[in-house]
Protein backbone atom coordinates (compact mmCIF):
# COMPACT_ATOMS: atom_id res chain seq x y z
CA UNK A 1 0.00 0.00 0.00
CA UNK A 2 1.42 3.33 -1.09
CA UNK A 3 1.63 5.93 1.67
CA UNK A 4 0.77 9.54 0.92
CA UNK A 5 3.34 12.19 1.65
CA UNK A 6 2.18 14.79 4.15
CA UNK A 7 2.42 18.21 2.58
CA UNK A 8 3.21 21.18 4.78
CA UNK A 9 0.74 23.90 3.84
CA UNK A 10 1.54 27.57 4.41
CA UNK A 11 -0.41 29.21 7.23
CA UNK A 12 -2.28 31.43 4.75
CA UNK A 13 -3.00 28.54 2.33
CA UNK A 14 -6.79 28.85 2.50
CA UNK A 15 -6.67 32.61 2.03
CA UNK A 16 -4.40 32.19 -1.02
CA UNK A 17 -6.58 29.62 -2.78
CA UNK A 18 -9.71 31.58 -1.90
CA UNK A 19 -8.35 34.73 -3.54
CA UNK A 20 -7.10 32.79 -6.58
CA UNK A 21 -10.20 30.66 -7.18
CA UNK A 22 -13.24 32.41 -5.67
CA UNK A 23 -14.49 34.11 -8.86
CA UNK A 24 -14.19 31.13 -11.18
CA UNK A 25 -15.69 28.78 -8.57
CA UNK A 26 -18.54 31.23 -8.00
CA UNK A 27 -19.32 31.33 -11.75
CA UNK A 28 -19.29 27.54 -11.91
CA UNK A 29 -21.58 27.24 -8.87
CA UNK A 30 -23.85 29.94 -10.29
CA UNK A 31 -24.30 27.91 -13.47
CA UNK A 32 -25.10 24.77 -11.48
CA UNK A 33 -27.39 26.37 -8.90
CA UNK A 34 -29.00 29.17 -10.89
CA UNK A 35 -29.03 31.93 -8.28
CA UNK A 36 -26.52 34.24 -6.67
CA UNK A 37 -27.34 33.53 -3.01
CA UNK A 38 -27.10 29.75 -3.40
CA UNK A 39 -23.83 30.10 -5.31
CA UNK A 40 -22.39 32.30 -2.55
CA UNK A 41 -23.50 29.80 0.12
CA UNK A 42 -22.02 26.91 -1.84
CA UNK A 43 -18.77 28.84 -2.32
CA UNK A 44 -18.43 29.33 1.43
CA UNK A 45 -19.24 25.66 2.05
CA UNK A 46 -16.69 24.63 -0.57
CA UNK A 47 -13.86 26.48 1.14
CA UNK A 48 -14.95 25.30 4.57
CA UNK A 49 -14.88 21.70 3.33
CA UNK A 50 -11.50 22.31 1.68
CA UNK A 51 -10.14 23.53 4.99
CA UNK A 52 -11.65 20.66 6.98
CA UNK A 53 -10.34 18.08 4.52
CA UNK A 54 -6.98 19.69 3.83
CA UNK A 55 -5.28 16.45 4.86
CA UNK A 56 -6.56 14.98 1.57
CA UNK A 57 -4.84 17.74 -0.33
CA UNK A 58 -2.05 15.77 -1.97
CA UNK A 59 -0.40 17.61 -4.84
CA UNK A 60 -0.41 21.29 -5.71
CA UNK A 61 -1.11 20.65 -9.39
CA UNK A 62 -4.32 18.86 -8.40
CA UNK A 63 -5.61 21.83 -6.39
CA UNK A 64 -7.97 23.11 -9.05
CA UNK A 65 -9.62 19.77 -9.80
CA UNK A 66 -9.86 19.01 -6.08
CA UNK A 67 -11.66 22.31 -5.39
CA UNK A 68 -14.04 21.85 -8.32
CA UNK A 69 -14.88 18.36 -7.13
CA UNK A 70 -15.74 19.75 -3.69
CA UNK A 71 -17.75 22.59 -5.28
CA UNK A 72 -19.65 20.22 -7.56
CA UNK A 73 -20.51 17.86 -4.72
CA UNK A 74 -21.60 20.79 -2.55
CA UNK A 75 -23.85 22.14 -5.32
CA UNK A 76 -25.42 18.73 -5.91
CA UNK A 77 -26.07 18.32 -2.18
CA UNK A 78 -27.82 21.69 -2.19
CA UNK A 79 -29.87 20.79 -5.27
CA UNK A 80 -30.97 17.48 -3.73
CA UNK A 81 -31.98 19.25 -0.54
CA UNK A 82 -33.80 21.95 -2.52
CA UNK A 83 -35.76 19.33 -4.49
CA UNK A 84 -36.83 17.58 -1.30
CA UNK A 85 -37.90 20.82 0.37
CA UNK A 86 -39.35 22.68 -2.61
CA UNK A 87 -40.27 20.53 -5.59
CA UNK A 88 -40.39 22.86 -8.61
CA UNK A 89 -43.22 22.67 -11.11
CA UNK A 90 -42.53 23.48 -14.74
CA UNK A 91 -44.65 26.65 -14.54
CA UNK A 92 -42.40 28.00 -11.76
CA UNK A 93 -39.30 27.86 -13.96
CA UNK A 94 -40.56 30.78 -16.09
CA UNK A 95 -41.13 32.83 -12.92
CA UNK A 96 -37.55 32.19 -11.79
CA UNK A 97 -36.17 33.18 -15.20
CA UNK A 98 -38.38 36.28 -15.28
CA UNK A 99 -37.02 37.42 -11.89
CA UNK A 100 -33.47 36.68 -12.98
CA UNK A 101 -33.81 38.82 -16.11
CA UNK A 102 -34.21 41.93 -13.94
CA UNK A 103 -30.81 41.43 -12.31
CA UNK A 104 -28.01 43.27 -14.10
CA UNK A 105 -25.30 40.64 -13.64
CA UNK A 106 -27.49 37.84 -14.94
CA UNK A 107 -27.45 38.64 -18.68
CA UNK A 108 -24.29 36.70 -19.54
CA UNK A 109 -25.46 33.82 -17.38
CA UNK A 110 -28.78 33.62 -19.22
CA UNK A 111 -27.13 33.75 -22.63
CA UNK A 112 -24.78 30.96 -21.59
CA UNK A 113 -27.62 28.88 -20.07
CA UNK A 114 -29.67 29.30 -23.23
CA UNK A 115 -26.72 28.17 -25.34
CA UNK A 116 -26.14 24.99 -23.35
CA UNK A 117 -29.81 24.17 -22.67
CA UNK A 118 -29.93 21.49 -25.38
CA UNK A 119 -26.95 19.63 -23.95
CA UNK A 120 -27.48 16.79 -21.51
CA UNK A 121 -26.41 17.21 -17.88
CA UNK A 122 -22.96 15.62 -18.30
CA UNK A 123 -22.23 17.64 -21.43
CA UNK A 124 -23.27 20.88 -19.66
CA UNK A 125 -20.94 20.08 -16.78
CA UNK A 126 -18.02 19.25 -19.07
CA UNK A 127 -18.50 22.42 -21.13
CA UNK A 128 -18.87 24.54 -17.97
CA UNK A 129 -15.80 23.05 -16.34
CA UNK A 130 -13.80 23.59 -19.53
CA UNK A 131 -15.05 27.06 -20.49
CA UNK A 132 -15.89 28.70 -17.17
CA UNK A 133 -13.41 26.96 -14.91
CA UNK A 134 -10.66 26.50 -17.47
CA UNK A 135 -9.96 22.95 -16.32
CA UNK A 136 -8.02 20.55 -18.52
CA UNK A 137 -9.66 17.38 -19.82
CA UNK A 138 -7.65 15.41 -17.28
CA UNK A 139 -8.84 17.62 -14.40
CA UNK A 140 -12.45 17.36 -15.59
CA UNK A 141 -12.10 13.57 -15.73
CA UNK A 142 -10.97 13.59 -12.11
CA UNK A 143 -13.86 15.82 -11.01
CA UNK A 144 -16.50 13.77 -12.86
CA UNK A 145 -14.92 10.35 -12.18
CA UNK A 146 -14.59 9.59 -15.88
CA UNK A 147 -11.73 8.70 -18.19
CA UNK A 148 -9.90 11.51 -19.95
CA UNK A 149 -10.79 10.01 -23.33
CA UNK A 150 -14.48 9.99 -22.46
CA UNK A 151 -14.34 13.62 -21.36
CA UNK A 152 -12.57 14.64 -24.58
CA UNK A 153 -15.11 12.82 -26.75
CA UNK A 154 -18.12 14.20 -24.86
CA UNK A 155 -16.67 17.71 -24.99
CA UNK A 156 -16.14 17.39 -28.75
CA UNK A 157 -19.72 16.13 -29.23
CA UNK A 158 -21.10 18.94 -27.06
CA UNK A 159 -19.23 21.56 -29.11
CA UNK A 160 -20.53 20.00 -32.31
CA UNK A 161 -24.10 20.22 -30.94
CA UNK A 162 -23.56 23.86 -30.00
CA UNK A 163 -22.14 24.63 -33.46
CA UNK A 164 -25.05 22.87 -35.15
CA UNK A 165 -27.58 24.79 -33.04
CA UNK A 166 -25.80 28.06 -33.78
CA UNK A 167 -25.79 27.36 -37.52
CA UNK A 168 -29.54 26.59 -37.44
CA UNK A 169 -30.28 29.97 -35.84
Amino acid sequence: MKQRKEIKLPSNWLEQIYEERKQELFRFLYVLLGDKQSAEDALQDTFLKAYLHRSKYIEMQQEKAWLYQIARNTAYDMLRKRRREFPIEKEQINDVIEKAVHQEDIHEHLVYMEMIADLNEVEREIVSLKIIAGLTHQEIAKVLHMTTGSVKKRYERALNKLKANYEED
Side-chain angles (χ1 to χ4, degrees):
M1 187 165 144
K2 189 177 178 183
Q3 253 187 332
R4 293 181 179 173
K5 245 196 277 185
E6 186 71 26
I7 293 177
K8 180 84 169 139
L9 298 172
S11 60
N12 62 345
W13 167 77
L14 187 63
E15 184 180 333
Q16 285 177 337
I17 64 168
Y18 178 78
E19 288 304 318
E20 289 173 13
R21 304 283 183 216
K22 69 181 177 184
Q23 288 183 324
E24 65 189 46
L25 279 168
F26 174 80
R27 286 191 302 267
F28 174 67
L29 289 164
Y30 192 64
V31 167
L32 291 179
L33 296 168
D35 71 273
K36 186 177 179 180
Q37 186 60 50
S38 294
E40 287 173 352
D41 291 345
L43 183 67
Q44 288 179 359
D45 287 350
T46 296
F47 282 101
L48 175 62
K49 289 174 183 177
Y51 177 75
L52 294 173
H53 300 285
R54 64 192 178 278
S55 63
K56 294 181 182 176
Y57 183 79
I58 299 168
E59 299 173 12
M60 291 304 277
Q61 70 256 30
Q62 296 296 328
E63 172 187 285
K64 198 171 184 180
W66 181 69
L67 282 172
Y68 274 92
Q69 189 170 13
I70 294 171
R72 176 181 179 260
N73 292 341
T74 300
Y76 280 1
D77 289 345
M78 291 176 77
L79 288 170
R80 278 191 291 276
K81 183 177 180 186
R82 188 187 296 171
R83 270 186 289 218
R84 282 194 308 268
E85 292 175 357
F86 308 105
I88 295 178
E89 301 296 325
K90 287 184 180 180
E91 302 82 44
Q92 292 174 301
I93 293 172
N94 287 337
D95 293 339
V96 171
I97 292 172
E98 193 64 36
K99 286 177 188 173
V101 168
H102 298 292
Q103 297 178 16
E104 289 178 28
D105 64 341
I106 198 75
H107 179 70
E108 285 184 31
H109 174 69
L110 288 175
V111 170
Y112 177 75
M113 292 305 287
E114 184 179 323
M115 284 176 58
I116 66 170
D118 292 335
L119 302 178
N120 67 43
E121 185 177 338
V122 174
E123 291 169 336
R124 280 193 304 269
E125 274 191 290
I126 291 171
V127 169
S128 294
L129 286 167
K130 184 74 174 155
I131 293 172
I132 293 176
L135 295 181
T136 65
H137 290 113
Q138 187 175 9
E139 290 169 328
I140 295 169
K142 181 177 167 68
V143 171
L144 299 179
H145 306 290
M146 300 170 71
T147 66
T148 303
S150 179
V151 167
K152 285 180 182 179
K153 193 64 176 170
R154 286 176 183 236
Y155 180 69
E156 181 183 322
R157 286 180 186 152
L159 289 183
N160 287 337
K161 280 184 190 178
L162 291 173
K163 287 177 189 174
N165 289 345
Y166 180 76
E167 289 170 359
E168 284 176 12
D169 293 340

